[in-house]
């Protein structure tokens, strides 16, 4: 199937469909946790699955522009939905950590300060807050050109999310390093494109 036919087929799929389908994996992860499908530590397993799925969505959002530029695949209309779903999964990831894992507000500050991977993860979350709050047409109109500059926070947020994953696991495991490598590659494509725009 050609890219043109794929793009034509995608035009028939509205972005709001993602808001319906997107939360379904979270329900599946919850079901796995309740039925023993996430191992002997289901809370940690649920926390991990939600965070990893959030990172996958962030990578998907980051890949949309390179896919259009290099392969002609046009997924731009879905970028906002993917970004908001990524924030939704980060919120769930954080909620599981706060309310099911720690279960103590007194431990939150200590964990953030003493564990670098949590510090980095919280920083990524903080960077995503203004992105989520301004992912609407009203903010685009109100902020004007500043909206694009603000949404460049996506890049450090995704990178910090990958670093958080790498530091979270014990030892040098391949999976988080693959995520980090993919993100660095996508960011490199962005950096290569920027000088050409400036020169033009």
């Amino acid at each position: 199937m050609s890219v043109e036919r794929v793009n034509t087929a995608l035009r028939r799929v509205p972005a709001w469909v993602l808001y319906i389908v997107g939360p379904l994996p979270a329900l599946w992860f919850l079901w796995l946790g309740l039925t023993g499908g996430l191992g002997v530590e289901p809370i940690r397993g649920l926390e991990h699955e939600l965070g990893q799925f959030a990172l996958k969505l962030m990578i998907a959002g980051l890949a949309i522009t390179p896919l259009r530029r290099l392969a002609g695949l046009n997924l731009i209309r879905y970028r906002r939905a993917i970004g908001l779903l990524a924030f939704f999964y980060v919120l769930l990831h954080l909620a599981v950590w706060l309310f099911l894992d720690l279960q103590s507000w007194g431990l939150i500050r200590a964990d953030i300060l003493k564990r670098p991977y949590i510090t980095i993860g919280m920083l990524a979350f903080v960077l995503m807050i203004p992105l989520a709050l301004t992912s609407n047409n009203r903010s685009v109109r109100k902020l004007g050109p500043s909206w694009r500059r603000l949404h460049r926070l996506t890049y450090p947020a995704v990178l910090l999310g990958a670093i958080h994953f790498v530091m979270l696991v014990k030892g040098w495991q391949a999976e988080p390093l693959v995520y980090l490598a993919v993100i660095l590659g996508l960011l490199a494509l962005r950096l290569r494109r920027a000088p050409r725009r400036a020169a033009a």
Side-chain angles (χ1 to χ4, degrees), residues 62-63 66 69-70 155 158-159 180-196:
L62 196 63
R69 189 170 71 241
L70 300 176
Y155 310 145
V158 176
L159 182 58
L180 180 59
V182 170
I183 289 169
L184 289 174
L186 291 171
L187 291 176
L189 289 174
R190 290 277 186 172
L191 292 175
R192 284 179 57 191
R193 187 69 175 176
R196 295 181 184 177

Side-chain angles (χ1 to χ4, degrees), residues 55-64 66-67 155 158-159 162-163 165-166 174-190:
L55 192 57
K56 289 177 181 177
L57 288 170
M58 294 167 75
I59 291 173
L62 196 63
I64 286 176
L67 282 174
Y155 310 145
V158 176
L159 182 58
I163 294 172
F165 188 20
V166 170
E175 186 179 19
L177 293 175
V178 169
Y179 278 81
L180 180 59
V182 170
I183 289 169
L184 289 174
L186 291 171
L187 291 176
L189 289 174
R190 290 277 186 172

Side-chain angles (χ1 to χ4, degrees), residues 115-118 120 162-171 176:
R115 301 186 181 185
Y117 74 90
I118 294 181
I120 290 173
I163 294 172
H164 168 74
F165 188 20
V166 170
M167 296 177 68
L168 172 66
V169 300
K170 296 179 180 179

Side-chain angles (χ1 to χ4, degrees), residues 27-38:
L27 296 176
W28 173 246
F29 299 146
L30 179 60
W31 171 255
L32 289 177
L34 293 173
T35 57
L38 294 179

